[in-house]
Amino acid sequence: EAQVTQNPRYLITVTGKKLTVTCSQNMNHEYMSWYRQDPGLGLRQIYYSMNVEVTDKGDVPEGYKVSRKEKRNFPLILESPSPNQTSLYFCASSRTGQGANTGELFFGEGSRLTVL
Amino acid sequence: KQEVTQIPAALSVPEGENLVLNCSFTDSAIYNLQWFRQDPGKGLTSLLLIQSSQREQTSGRLNASLDKSSGRSTLYIAASQPGDSATYLCAVPKTGGFKTIFGAGTRLFVKA
């Protein structure tokens, strides 16, 4: 089954304690992306990756890091989480073409993060 | 700069009614437009993807149309059911780049 898998689905942590949210896709997609969703602010893009070892900032990258060492995995790293990073996080993937993510976007189930 | 707007922000209808959700975008040079459904606290489920060369796509009771020249897409839901209650979002990939722009969504409530 084609899917995007995120872990953990729920996490409560404390300020400053480094954490990683993993994302894996089994569709051989070149493009992967991270979003956060907050009430009243909608979906905002954090980082994206066009292929292995190629990443770029989205609209709200501050406080986050990513890496793309393998095509299927795109982990989101919070080096020193703060309460304003409490949010619902989504990973997505798609094919690429014409220099853009032109394929259908597939989303993971989401990871709800609370930073105390 | 691409901006995506969805109207209305919220909609409440009785069961069985046919309804239309609207999505507008400012830059007509798009590759495709995708409609999603999101249940509260859950992930986004892809409903329909319309390529820029297409005028419409259908899946079951759902029909999405695309008019690039006017910068509009509509999602038509036939014979609505309480199970259709959710937030519906549209999204377009930004031309010449790898960002995707999402609308704020339309929250639909179908009353039994």
Side-chain angles (χ1 to χ4, degrees):
Chain A
E1 179 189 355
Q3 58 185 5
V4 178
T5 304
Q6 297 179 224
N7 279 297
R9 295 287 313 282
Y10 303 90
L11 180 62
I12 300 174
T13 189
V14 296
T15 299
K17 186 176 182 181
K18 180 180 178 180
L19 67 92
T20 299
V21 186
T22 64
C23 174
S24 181
Q25 50 94 5
N26 63 0
M27 295 167 280
N28 201 36
H29 286 165
E30 299 86 6
Y31 178 86
M32 297 186 74
S33 181
W34 278 101
Y35 303 86
R36 61 178 288 175
Q37 187 176 40
D38 303 287
L41 296 177
L43 272 160
R44 294 181 292 170
Q45 195 163 23
I46 304 171
Y47 269 97
Y48 58 93
S49 170
M50 297 76 85
N51 215 323
V52 176
E53 302 291 4
V54 184
T55 63
D56 205 350
K57 297 177 181 178
D59 297 316
V60 287
E62 295 77 21
Y64 304 95
K65 285 178 58 177
V66 293
S67 67
R68 187 89 181 273
K69 292 182 169 54
E70 303 168 289
K71 196 171 187 179
R72 65 182 292 122
N73 296 322
F74 190 44
L76 179 70
I77 303 161
L78 286 72
E79 293 272 2
S80 183
S82 62
N84 66 11
Q85 293 179 297
T86 293
S87 187
L88 180 57
Y89 291 86
F90 291 104
C91 180
S93 72
S94 76
R95 293 180 295 104
T96 59
Q98 303 175 61
N101 52 316
T102 55
E104 183 177 7
L105 261 179
F106 291 86
F107 276 80
E109 286 293 307
S111 296
R112 185 168 293 281
L113 171 64
T114 301
V115 183
L116 302 175
Chain B
K1 177 186 175 184
Q2 179 72 277
E3 294 181 0
V4 180
T5 304
Q6 291 189 246
I7 295 172
L11 182 63
S12 180
V13 300
E15 182 177 6
E17 190 162 302
N18 302 323
L19 57 98
V20 174
L21 307 181
N22 296 293
C23 173
S24 300
F25 46 93
T26 53
D27 184 351
S28 61
I30 62 172
Y31 296 112
N32 58 52
L33 185 143
Q34 194 169 355
W35 283 94
F36 295 89
R37 167 189 172 135
Q38 185 178 28
D39 294 292
K42 299 294 179 67
L44 279 72
T45 300
S46 179
L47 297 174
L48 290 163
L49 173 72
I50 312 176
Q51 299 294 347
S52 60
S53 58
Q54 297 175 313
R55 296 283 293 185
E56 64 177 67
Q57 280 279 8
T58 299
S59 176
R61 294 183 293 109
L62 305 179
N63 176 276
S65 67
L66 177 63
D67 183 345
K68 286 201 321 178
S69 62
S70 66
R72 293 182 58 185
S73 176
T74 60
L75 179 67
Y76 175 83
I77 302 177
S80 58
Q81 303 170 358
D84 294 330
S85 298
T87 296
Y88 292 80
L89 299 100
C90 64
V92 294
K94 186 178 177 184
T95 307
F98 288 87
K99 292 185 178 181
T100 298
I101 312 299
F102 285 83
T106 294
R107 184 176 296 181
L108 173 65
F109 180 65
V110 181
K111 298 172 287 187

